[in-house]
Amino acid sequence: MKPRPKPSQPKSKTDWSNVADWYNDLVGSEGSEYQREVVHPGTLKLLGDVAGKRILDVACGQGVLCRLLQSRGAIVTGIDASRELIDAARTHAATSKAQNPIDYFVGDARELLELKPIDGRTFDAMTCILAIQNFHPIQPLFHAAAQLLIPNGQFVIVMMHPAFRGAKESHWGWDDEHAVQFRRVDRYLVPRKAPIYANPGKKDGNYTWTFHKPIEAFVQAAVKAGLTINGFEEWPSHKQSQPGPRQAAENTARKEIPMFLALRCLKP
């Protein structure tokens, strides 16, 4: 068994406890619009048939993906650093009549191998959906996947696309001369930490941190942990613009410039 690397710097607390009620209302029982239309269908495609498989959903929030996996016959464990979101997940689960109950517990994704509820368990697959950019360092999570997955087990990660969706460092622009919508990227390669409002519609002082890393950082973390990347997909937004002079250009840009990046890692 490989020794677990020690973090090179203190860990920042980035759970969503302060906005758990808002987030639970936003996501609901079946997920946000982007989750329903893009993220979850893509995740299920990368996972393949999950019936009967033991799956660990890391940073599960209020459990929307856990419930979807459960409905497909998976045996699901969900972990999140926010006790409030885990409480919400358990409340949702209480109304389920499924024969395979979801096992939820509170814990830091970067400390999986130290958590007693995980001790001695192995999984057929792991997921970390729209969360990996909210914690640092990421290497402990990849090392945990390498130890917790069975041989040929899969680890699916979905994130906002690092190349095009950097917080505060990228945005849409419009070229009047050529009638083209473009995506401006001011920074990309250098890792950075940026504060973001947890609830964008209510700038009330509750904020969390996002940790930007280039794509190579995630690839290197997987390789360093002994995992093989056997899936790499870029997903655009599903939305369409309303009729107007910019409709065609906006729809073209939306299809050409992806919103999400998905990686599937395999334990050899």
Side-chain angles (χ1 to χ4, degrees):
M1 182 177 293
K2 296 180 180 179
R4 295 189 293 272
K6 295 184 181 299
S8 58
Q9 61 187 73
K11 298 173 182 176
S12 297
K13 187 174 185 296
T14 58
D15 68 70
W16 289 54
S17 296
N18 291 338
V19 292
D21 291 340
W22 164 80
Y23 184 76
N24 186 37
D25 291 340
L26 173 71
V27 174
S29 61
E30 297 182 359
S32 68
E33 182 180 355
Y34 281 118
Q35 288 173 323
R36 295 192 308 270
E37 300 295 331
V38 181
V39 174
H40 290 164
T43 300
L44 290 175
K45 183 181 72 171
L46 287 172
L47 286 171
D49 183 12
V50 299
K53 292 185 177 179
R54 298 158 297 166
I55 301 180
L56 173 62
D57 186 23
V58 179
C60 67
Q62 49 85 278
V64 62
L65 179 61
C66 292
R67 295 190 294 276
L68 180 58
L69 294 170
Q70 178 194 47
S71 73
R72 301 294 182 96
I75 303 165
V76 186
T77 299
I79 174 177
D80 198 277
S82 168
R83 182 172 298 280
E84 289 79 1
L85 286 177
I86 288 296
D87 287 344
R90 288 171 175 157
T91 298
H92 283 289
T95 63
S96 173
K97 297 180 181 179
Q99 298 299 312
N100 47 337
I102 301 169
D103 186 9
Y104 288 115
F105 61 91
V106 179
D108 193 314
R110 298 159 298 183
E111 299 174 349
L112 286 179
L113 298 178
E114 282 80 42
L115 298 176
K116 288 184 178 180
I118 288 291
D119 189 30
R121 296 196 192 189
T122 57
F123 299 91
D124 299 287
M126 286 175 54
T127 54
C128 183
I129 308 301
L130 299 181
I132 199 166
Q133 287 166 295
N134 288 118
F135 54 83
H136 177 81
I138 59 172
Q139 193 65 57
L141 177 59
F142 284 86
H143 277 285
Q147 295 195 41
L148 295 175
L149 289 172
I150 65 169
N152 294 319
Q154 300 182 115
F155 181 26
V156 173
I157 306 150
V158 179
M159 66 191 82
M160 299 301 293
H161 203 297
F164 304 111
R165 302 285 174 162
K168 302 182 180 181
E169 303 293 350
S170 63
H171 60 269
W172 289 113
W174 178 258
D175 182 338
D176 281 313
E177 180 180 356
H178 301 96
V180 170
Q181 179 166 278
F182 60 88
R183 189 78 181 171
R184 172 174 167 171
V185 177
D186 296 329
R187 298 178 62 184
Y188 171 65
L189 272 179
V190 178
R192 62 186 179 275
K193 172 183 177 181
I196 56 171
Y197 283 103
N199 180 349
K202 186 179 180 182
K203 298 181 179 180
D204 55 2
N206 284 320
Y207 68 92
T208 185
W209 294 97
T210 183
F211 299 90
H212 168 81
K213 297 176 179 65
I215 296 170
E216 68 177 33
F218 300 97
V219 174
Q220 290 170 357
V223 172
K224 188 175 181 179
L227 302 173
T228 299
I229 294 176
N230 70 342
F232 185 106
E233 296 187 0
E234 297 168 293
W235 302 334
S237 169
H238 66 291
K239 292 192 174 184
Q240 295 288 308
S241 293
Q242 295 297 315
R246 296 186 179 183
Q247 180 187 34
E250 289 174 350
N251 287 338
T252 297
R254 198 178 286 114
K255 287 190 298 183
E256 289 286 352
I257 302 174
M259 189 171 189
F260 304 101
L261 173 65
L263 295 175
R264 184 178 60 201
C265 304
L266 178 74
K267 177 177 179 177

